[in-house]
């Protein structure tokens, strides 16, 4: 079965960087993309961007351009989210999610368990 | 960016009720609209994709409709496990924006 297992909670100081991993299994990694979605405490979901599992192409939300890097390691079927210059409003649970695309429809049937990133001085 | 607006933000209902949640897009998104359910402390779970297609394993009491800019999620015959937060998401164009969520609570 498809599984996405994320790395553990992180506490960072303002201005620091964080790297969250998403280890996948149960499917061919290079056939699907991974999106990253975050959720601030008590807030809604926010799409951060997408990376292709096939060739590493990325599509970042403009809000995060210049601060975010998404990468993959196909040898370990793992995706990574790197967020720099952290601010207190980056405190959130970060989810990785595997996509599914067919005939123009795009959706995310599989999600990681989430990684809490706390930014505090 | 396409703005997604859900209503209501919160809703109280009883077991057995029929409830409807709406989602409106700031421009036409055809049928590229997904619905997710999220329980406290858990990741979202896909309920409906492409506006009206029930995801595998999701009970038939959930249904979705709409196209263009206006969409609805209907739950017919609420069960105790349905009390959760519901999110819509457009996947017509990036960034794939979500609505602000609708919290469904027990009356």
């Amino acid at each position: 079965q498809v599984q996405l297992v994320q790395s553990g909670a992180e506490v960072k100081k303002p201005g620091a960087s964080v790297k969250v991993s998403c280890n996948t299994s149960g499917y061919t990694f290079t056939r699907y993309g991974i999106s990253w979605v975050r959720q601030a405490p008590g807030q809604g979901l926010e799409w951060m961007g997408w990376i292709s599992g096939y060739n590493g192409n990325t599509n970042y939300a403009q809000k995060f351009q210049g601060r975010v890097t998404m990468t993959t390691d196909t040898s370990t079927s793992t995706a990574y989210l790197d967020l720099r210059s952290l601010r207190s409003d980056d405190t959130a649970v970060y989810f990785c999610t595997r996509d599914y695309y067919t005939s123009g429809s795009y959706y995310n049937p599989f999600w990681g368990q989430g990684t809490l990133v706390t930014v505090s001085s | 960016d396409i703005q997604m607006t859900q209503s209501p933000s919160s809703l109280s209902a009883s077991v057995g009720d029929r409830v409807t949640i709406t989602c409106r897009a700031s421009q036409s998104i055809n049928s590229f609209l997904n619905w997710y359910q999220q329980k406290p402390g858990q990741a979202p779970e896909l309920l409906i994709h492409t506006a009206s297609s029930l995801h595998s394993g999701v009970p038939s009491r959930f249904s979705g409709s709409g196209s263009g800019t206006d969409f609805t999620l209907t739950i017919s015959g609420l069960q105790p496990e349905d009390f959760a937060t519901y999110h819509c998401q457009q996947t017509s164009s990036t960034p794939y924006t979500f609505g602000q969520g609708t919290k469904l609570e027990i009356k």
Side-chain angles (χ1 to χ4, degrees):
Chain A
Q1 72 281 22
V2 175
Q3 288 190 308
L4 290 76
V5 179
Q6 299 182 223
S7 48
E10 304 264 11
V11 179
K12 297 292 183 180
K13 293 192 183 302
S17 298
V18 69
K19 191 167 188 174
V20 179
S21 67
C22 174
N23 186 29
T24 73
S25 60
Y27 72 97
T28 302
F29 184 78
T30 53
R31 289 189 178 176
Y32 300 92
I34 295 285
S35 293
W36 290 89
V37 173
R38 75 178 187 178
Q39 186 171 38
Q43 302 300 309
L45 301 169
E46 182 174 31
W47 186 86
M48 300 180 68
W50 169 89
I51 184 166
S52 166
Y54 175 67
N55 57 15
N57 285 352
T58 54
N59 184 332
Y60 301 144
Q62 187 165 8
K63 172 178 180 177
F64 301 101
Q65 288 275 2
R67 280 208 308 141
V68 70
T69 302
M70 296 177 189
T71 57
T72 60
D73 181 345
T74 56
S75 69
T76 60
S77 300
T78 302
Y80 298 92
L81 169 72
D82 195 334
L83 188 61
R84 302 176 291 279
S85 302
L86 290 169
R87 307 184 289 254
S88 57
D89 62 359
D90 290 316
T91 294
V93 175
Y94 291 76
F95 295 100
C96 62
T97 171
R98 200 211 80 180
D99 64 15
Y100 187 81
Y101 181 81
T102 179
S103 303
S105 297
Y106 177 89
Y107 48 94
N108 297 90
F110 304 104
W111 293 65
Q113 83 276 18
T115 296
L116 174 62
V117 175
T118 302
V119 183
S120 173
S121 54
Chain B
D1 297 359
I2 297 175
Q3 306 303 314
M4 304 301 293
T5 303
Q6 285 183 239
S7 61
S9 296
S10 63
L11 175 61
S12 295
S14 301
V15 172
D17 284 353
R18 181 176 185 268
V19 300
T20 298
I21 298 168
T22 66
C23 183
R24 175 165 288 176
S26 60
Q27 65 189 71
S28 176
I29 57 171
N30 295 304
S31 296
F32 300 125
L33 190 284
N34 305 321
W35 289 98
Y36 296 88
Q37 177 193 68
Q38 186 180 29
K39 296 179 180 177
Q42 297 184 17
E45 293 186 358
L46 179 67
L47 292 175
I48 288 170
H49 66 85
T50 328
S52 60
S53 296
L54 200 65
H55 181 54
S56 174
V58 175
S60 59
R61 63 181 179 271
F62 292 92
S63 63
S65 65
S67 67
T69 60
D70 295 312
F71 301 86
T72 60
L73 171 70
T74 299
I75 312 171
S76 300
L78 273 172
Q79 297 299 302
E81 61 268 28
D82 299 337
F83 292 94
T85 298
Y86 294 84
H87 306 273
C88 64
Q89 182 200 26
Q90 66 82 17
T91 55
S92 175
S93 63
T94 59
Y96 293 149
T97 43
F98 290 87
Q100 80 279 16
T102 294
K103 186 173 184 179
L104 178 55
E105 299 175 304
I106 300 175
K107 185 182 290 184

